[in-house]
Amino acid sequence: MHTVYAALGDRVLVGDSRGGWDGGLLGHDIEGVAAGAAEPGRAFVGTSDAGLKRTTDGGATWETVLDAGDRVTSVTVSPHDSTEIWAGTEPSAAYQSADGGETWTEKPGLTGLDSASRWSFPPRPQTHHVRWIALAPDDPEQVYAAIEAGAFVRSPDGGKTWVDHPDGARRDNHTLATHPDAPDRVYTAAGGGFALSTDRGETWTHPQEGLEHRYVWGLAVHPDDPDRVVVSAASGPRSAHSTSGESYVYRWDGDRWTQSMDGLPGPSGLARPVLATDPDDGFLALTNHGLFQSKYGETWVRRWPDDGDWTAEYDQVPSGLAVV
């Protein structure tokens, strides 16, 4: 059994992957959530109105630990060291904490890259943000950052310097992933489709066969198989980010994409799910209709609520899911 932090619109629910929720955070515009397996009671939540929030008691109480930029749009706990936390903001900046969120240092040079003059995010065309930060599973110095919208960038030295957007990478990146069994790989879900790098972000391929909807948002890679991937996708952002829109989940077996909607609600009325992995249960999908689980991404089972009675206040676009 693992602790789950599930973010829906204006709230974060804390519970487990089999249901049974207790505690949480209410009343904020949630951008993302992260936690580390070594400290399951400690989690971080990025918000657009109250900076970066932290709990150290499993969601019973929360405090602001970083107030930087207009919005804290991403947060990541290092897989190498549970006290190392990364956060991204709007306007685009990257911050690192080496003490579990007590103190923070901005990593310079991000907006000094040549591609930064082309970064923009509607409906505010003069700004942009760091939507996701990931670390290579075998190298804590290798940092990957998704800029929405404009670039995929990386740092080979823990944020001291940054390498600009390479040819062939997606520009409207939403979610990044890596895998310990294939440490050279970087996966991205982006507006325009899925993309894969096998050389730590230097070059990219675009496996699209069978992926009929190309606005890709959620992404997870199976804990036991780096060739088994699930994504959530829609025809465009308007459909993806609405509880009255239409979204899909696809699975990839290393060769082609197949729709994977068996057991999921929708596609009508389904906002794009947020996807994560559970070491015991494979994949989890947080939707505006509940939390669903799939061992291999082929069929899905509702985990919460088990009776299908999803209260109206939970019918919101999901914004983050962490399983520890």
Side-chain angles (χ1 to χ4, degrees), residues 106-279:
E106 182 178 359
K107 297 299 182 177
L110 193 62
T111 54
L113 297 170
D114 289 344
S115 70
S117 62
R118 300 188 297 273
W119 302 353
S120 66
F121 180 74
R124 292 171 287 180
Q126 301 305 314
T127 192
H128 38 76
H129 52 250
V130 180
R131 173 52 64 192
W132 203 274
I133 298 176
L135 278 67
D138 63 341
D139 182 1
E141 293 292 292
Q142 187 75 42
V143 183
Y144 308 116
I147 306 297
E148 188 183 28
F152 166 87
V153 301
R154 57 192 173 88
S155 173
D157 51 19
K160 295 182 181 68
T161 62
W162 296 92
V163 179
D164 207 347
H165 182 84
D167 292 341
R170 299 290 189 196
R171 292 193 178 275
D172 185 20
N173 297 284
H174 301 137
T175 305
L176 303 178
T178 60
H179 198 283
D181 294 338
D184 289 341
R185 290 190 183 186
V186 187
Y187 311 76
T188 183
F194 173 80
L196 172 68
S197 173
T198 58
D199 55 11
R200 301 178 186 262
E202 292 188 18
T203 62
W204 292 83
T205 59
H206 310 94
Q208 304 288 78
E209 185 177 357
L211 188 62
E212 298 175 4
H213 301 83
R214 299 295 177 85
Y215 186 83
V216 184
W217 185 268
L219 167 68
V221 186
H222 196 278
D224 299 328
D225 185 356
D227 285 331
R228 186 172 289 271
V229 182
V230 292
V231 299
S232 59
S235 59
R238 186 179 298 275
S239 183
H241 302 306
S242 171
T243 58
S244 60
E246 183 176 287
S247 296
Y248 299 80
V249 171
Y250 289 83
R251 72 176 185 274
W252 184 56
D253 58 10
D255 182 33
R256 62 168 288 118
W257 294 96
T258 304
Q259 273 191 29
S260 180
M261 297 295 293
D262 187 3
L264 289 173
S268 178
L270 180 67
R272 80 293 177 280
V274 172
L275 304 165
T277 58
D278 183 304

Side-chain angles (χ1 to χ4, degrees), residues 30-49:
I30 308 299
E31 295 280 352
V33 59
E39 296 282 350
R42 183 173 63 199
F44 299 86
V45 172
T47 77
S48 67
D49 60 343

Side-chain angles (χ1 to χ4, degrees), residues 52-83:
L52 183 69
K53 309 289 283 188
R54 180 184 66 178
T55 180
T56 57
D57 52 16
T61 61
W62 298 82
E63 60 181 332
T64 297
V65 292
L66 175 64
D67 187 7
D70 296 335
R71 303 160 65 193
V72 177
T73 49
S74 58
V75 58
T76 297
V77 177
S78 170
H80 307 281
D81 181 353
S82 65
T83 65

